[in-house]
Amino acid sequence: MGTFEEQGVDRQWFDVADAAALLLDAQGRVTGWTRDAERLLEYPAAEVVGAKAGSLLAAEDALRVADLGRRCRRDGGWAGLLTAVRRGGEPVRLMVRVTSAQEPPGPSRWLVLLSEMGHAPGWAMSRPVLEQMVAGSPVGIAIVDTDLRFVWSNEALEQFGGGPARNRLGMRLADVQPGLDAESIEAQMRRVLETGDPVVGYEHVGLVRSAPQRETAHMMSFTRLDDEHGNPMGVYYTVVDISERHRARQRLALLDRAGECIGRSLDIMQTAQELSDVAVPTFADFVAVDLLASVLAGAELAPGPPGDTADVPLRRAGHQSVNENVPEAVVAIGEVATYLAGSPPIRALTTGTSWRQERLDPLAKEWATDIPGGREATFLELGLHSVMIVPIRARGVTLGVTTFFRRRRQAPFDEDDLALAEDLVSRAAVCVDNARRYTRERDAALVLQRSLLPHRLPEQDAVEVAACYRPADELTGLGGDWYDLITLSGGRVALVVGEVPGHGIDAAAAMGRLRTAVRTLAALDLPPEEVLAHLDDLVARSAREEGVEPGTEEAAIAQSVGSGCLYVVYDPVDGQCTMAAAGHPAPAVVLPDGDVTFVDLPQGAPLGVGGPPFESVELALAAGSTLALHTDGLLAREDGAWVVETDRDRLRRALERRADTLDLSCRTVVDALVPARPNDDVALLMARTRLLGAEQVADWDLPADPAAVAAARKTAAQLLAQWGLEELAFTTELVVSELVTNAIRYAAGPIRLRLIKERALICEVFDGGATAPHLRHPRTTDEGGRGLLLVSQVTQRWGTRFVPEGKIIWAEQPLTDPSP
């Protein structure tokens, strides 16, 4: 039965002065019997002394004597309620206290005090007392029979609906509360009737049938009532209103969901849409998020509200509704949301304070104006009746406004709802501002990247080109890999691919410096191995001047030490291709028949680290061959490593796939070899070779005789007539005359004249000299020295390039005569 405390019995009702005492030995036999004990239980001492104490108890308590003995020995005593049997067989309820009466070194003895509970207040309460207790309870209480029909309920149950108790008698829950989800509640009652197991803490959530509807929550407990034979008589249940706790739990759940769902990306529009999605339908029926246009552009904003202006540029960044296709939205996502001057959205935006209205004027029109298509609607037509407008503020800056609406069947927004909306929007505002800041930084990085990589590859007739670039840093889009196509003299082109160690903006800046250096060296018309030699010297010297130790991360990024570069020169006149590499993979060649080979190219050391001289190789390419220049990120696998032979096989299979265009082929190769999130930057430049036809090139060997100048002019004029370029004859004759005259006058060895008709008319004069000509600015009294000055004035560009046998002086002019 347990102790006094376990039974809920107050110790004050145990009066020792009125208690009957007896003594027990260690085995639980009665050794002492007082007159009070005899008067209480009506046994004389002769019949009791020597008997077991358990023989005086009712059967159910007699079985507990052994356990009570162990508890007494363990705890030094025991107190509780027991039922004894008087001499005549009448049961009597007793309050019992057992304490030790041992006197060392004597044997164990126990003092037992007995007090009758028949007159103790609260123990044998009458039915009126019990009815008063349950009827006056603030907890709703009811009893239903086995058919789940009400047989009794207290007054407190009326607060949960269904009318007074007298109207419930004989009726079921669905009869007295038709709008309630009675089926789920009665299912719990049937379960208790069938199993006998009580159900405690069952939560039932439903809508109160009133206008507007409000969600309520109740905690219910069910217990089966049995008769004296153990047969079920019905179910006793209690009801407690926990609506406030339920709503508080909903608010916490909403904020938790907002933390999980809002700001999963750094896209401003997506973040705004996530705010709308989280709030509908659990909190609002229609939500619209409008952001300042400058926020969407990633612009830096001044602290505080945007100012008191009637024309604040806002754009709809996100909205959501309980209705499909969001019929309440009069402004589409991405469109300008213009609001009337002084309207609540403008006031909330310009003041930075929230605004709430429990009841909208149903005939008032929506605040937006200049709606595309001229659509206007009243709040009644939109079905909206309650509104809150919360400014989106983060880090002291106002970014926009969020508008929450509820429809007619929902309860209006209250102050608690406004506090929750402000908390929700403030969390989303930080994510929106983070996305804005990221947009600004990313746009700046992309501007840098676009300024460092070619906006578009120049048009020329030597090759058809396509390029694909994929950075490892997907957030900024910046990397250290790069590519370029540089037009050279004589219709030739330089194809360049390189990579700088590292990723991000530092690597991109180093890449920009390296690319600029390559373009500067390419203008000197040097062979590939010499371009790389000068580039290597430039990188190493820069590192030394900056005092950076070679091999360190700072040197690798800031000074481009360890960078790779592949430099290829292709001549469309004869199809010759010359290339050299500095710590960079050799290119692949797709032949016109589709076979794929790899160039056996000597690998030079990476730039700036020192090593043997760079070597170049030369090969002839048929028209329609495709060069595939790539950085090593194209062949890197997800673990970042790559094996040359194995990964070249992967590249070969990718290049063998046919595509309709070179651009599509380039993208297909990158998609096939590069994972969605590469570990390294990837650049691929593909160039399909062309050959100039015999009718586009003409050359003549000339004797080192001044008389050859006139013949050269005449021959050139005749060729221009065949090409239909008679309007260029005068300028061309002048250029030929001056360049051939210089070769005869200042150079030695054979002289050769070549004219090339490409996108420009190119005039080249070869001689065996090793000295470079230069422009002079002669005085008016000088008789010569004006030849190259005249050439520079009448052509769009000119220059000199050295070849193993000597040098070539060249000049280009557009195919149409630029003179009026």
Side-chain angles (χ1 to χ4, degrees), residues 14-175:
F14 196 102
D15 191 343
V16 176
D18 295 333
L22 62 145
L23 288 174
L24 302 179
D25 62 13
Q27 287 73 38
R29 292 185 179 90
V30 178
T31 59
W33 189 254
T34 64
R35 290 181 180 179
D36 290 333
E38 180 177 349
R39 184 170 54 254
L40 178 62
L41 298 180
E42 300 177 356
Y43 290 102
E47 295 183 15
V48 176
V49 174
K52 287 280 189 178
S55 62
L56 303 175
L57 300 176
E60 63 270 17
D61 285 346
L63 299 175
R64 302 176 57 227
V65 170
D67 179 63
L68 293 177
R70 285 191 296 269
R71 294 183 65 179
C72 288
R73 290 189 292 272
R74 182 191 67 192
D75 302 332
W78 179 84
L81 300 174
L82 294 174
T83 300
V85 180
R86 285 194 171 99
R87 193 167 186 268
E90 177 189 358
V92 57
R93 195 69 170 162
L94 300 176
M95 186 178 294
V96 180
R97 174 177 290 179
V98 181
T99 58
S100 175
Q102 180 180 359
E103 296 180 1
S108 298
R109 292 191 303 168
W110 300 95
L111 172 64
V112 181
L113 301 176
L114 307 177
S115 180
E116 187 175 1
M117 293 296 298
H119 302 291
W123 177 251
M125 290 182 291
S126 63
R127 176 171 177 170
V129 173
L130 292 174
E131 287 183 351
Q132 181 181 353
M133 181 175 66
V134 296
S137 171
V139 177
I141 304 174
I143 299 176
V144 297
D145 60 17
T146 54
D147 293 328
L148 308 185
R149 298 184 182 277
F150 283 98
V151 296
W152 180 89
S153 62
N154 67 349
E155 185 177 343
L157 192 66
E158 297 176 10
Q159 64 183 303
F160 304 107
R166 62 180 178 273
N167 295 343
R168 296 174 182 266
L169 296 177
M171 302 181 71
R172 291 177 56 169
L173 189 59
D175 300 328

Side-chain angles (χ1 to χ4, degrees), residues 411-676:
F413 291 115
D414 55 23
E415 286 295 333
D416 290 339
D417 291 326
L418 182 60
L420 176 59
E422 290 176 336
D423 198 357
L424 177 65
V425 171
S426 67
R427 297 188 181 202
V430 174
C431 298
V432 171
D433 194 49
N434 288 340
R436 177 191 65 83
R437 289 167 176 250
Y438 164 73
T439 299
R440 183 189 63 201
E441 298 300 328
R442 187 174 188 271
D443 288 347
L446 291 178
V447 169
L448 172 63
Q449 182 77 358
R450 285 193 293 268
S451 68
L452 298 177
L453 288 175
H455 294 185
R456 61 181 181 86
L457 297 175
E459 296 180 358
Q460 35 70 45
D461 290 337
V463 291
E464 176 191 356
V465 289
C468 187
Y469 173 76
R470 185 170 296 176
D473 190 341
E474 62 177 353
L475 290 181
T476 64
L478 293 175
D481 290 13
W482 56 282
Y483 60 88
D484 209 347
L485 184 147
I486 307 167
T487 57
L488 304 176
S489 63
R492 300 169 305 133
V493 293
L495 304 169
V496 192
V497 168
E499 57 184 318
V500 172
H503 312 291
I505 194 167
D506 291 331
M511 173 268 286
R513 293 192 296 269
L514 198 60
R515 176 172 173 258
T516 301
V518 170
R519 294 185 70 88
T520 302
L521 291 170
L524 300 177
D525 249 333
L526 300 174
E529 67 275 14
E530 293 188 29
V531 171
L532 293 183
H534 284 289
L535 194 61
D536 176 72
D537 180 65
L538 180 66
V539 171
R541 186 171 64 251
S542 176
R544 288 194 301 269
E545 291 174 352
E546 294 292 335
V548 178
E549 292 295 330
T552 63
E553 182 179 358
E554 184 181 2
I557 295 178
Q559 276 71 41
S560 306
V561 175
S563 299
C565 184
L566 173 65
Y567 191 90
V568 179
V569 174
Y570 174 70
D571 190 341
V573 175
D574 55 10
Q576 291 298 309
C577 182
T578 308
M579 64 186 70
H584 200 87
V589 179
V590 183
L591 300 177
D593 60 5
D595 289 342
V596 179
T597 63
F598 292 90
V599 179
D600 185 11
L601 179 63
Q603 280 294 310
L607 298 174
V609 302
F614 297 102
E615 299 180 48
S616 64
V617 297
E618 186 173 347
L619 63 155
L621 295 177
S625 301
T626 301
L627 280 166
L629 290 71
H630 62 89
T631 56
D632 57 14
L634 183 69
L635 301 182
R637 290 169 291 190
E638 293 190 6
D639 57 3
W642 62 290
V643 181
V644 174
E645 293 303 324
T646 302
D647 293 305
R648 277 187 171 180
D649 288 339
R650 294 170 53 226
L651 178 57
R652 177 182 287 106
R653 290 192 297 270
L655 289 171
E656 286 174 347
R657 299 174 185 174
R658 295 287 183 177
D660 295 336
T661 64
L662 193 63
D663 280 328
L664 182 58
S665 178
C666 189
R667 291 195 299 270
T668 300
V669 170
V670 173
D671 291 340
L673 299 179
V674 180

Side-chain angles (χ1 to χ4, degrees), residues 339-457:
Y339 291 100
L340 296 171
S343 63
I346 295 298
R347 289 203 305 269
L349 182 70
T350 56
T351 62
T353 57
S354 302
W355 181 81
R356 175 180 66 91
Q357 189 164 3
E358 290 189 5
R359 297 292 180 185
L360 286 165
D361 181 358
L363 300 181
K365 291 185 178 180
E366 217 273 356
W367 302 300
T369 183
D370 297 335
I371 303 168
R375 178 192 172 193
E376 293 184 355
T378 64
F379 291 115
L380 178 63
E381 292 169 340
L382 296 175
L384 306 173
H385 77 94
S386 186
V387 64
M388 296 185 300
I389 302 177
V390 180
I392 304 172
R393 292 178 53 82
R395 303 179 177 98
V397 174
T398 301
L399 308 173
V401 292
T402 302
T403 308
F404 301 85
F405 288 98
R406 279 184 178 166
R407 297 180 62 81
R408 287 186 294 268
R409 297 184 60 190
Q410 292 294 328
F413 291 115
D414 55 23
E415 286 295 333
D416 290 339
D417 291 326
L418 182 60
L420 176 59
E422 290 176 336
D423 198 357
L424 177 65
V425 171
S426 67
R427 297 188 181 202
V430 174
C431 298
V432 171
D433 194 49
N434 288 340
R436 177 191 65 83
R437 289 167 176 250
Y438 164 73
T439 299
R440 183 189 63 201
E441 298 300 328
R442 187 174 188 271
D443 288 347
L446 291 178
V447 169
L448 172 63
Q449 182 77 358
R450 285 193 293 268
S451 68
L452 298 177
L453 288 175
H455 294 185
R456 61 181 181 86
L457 297 175

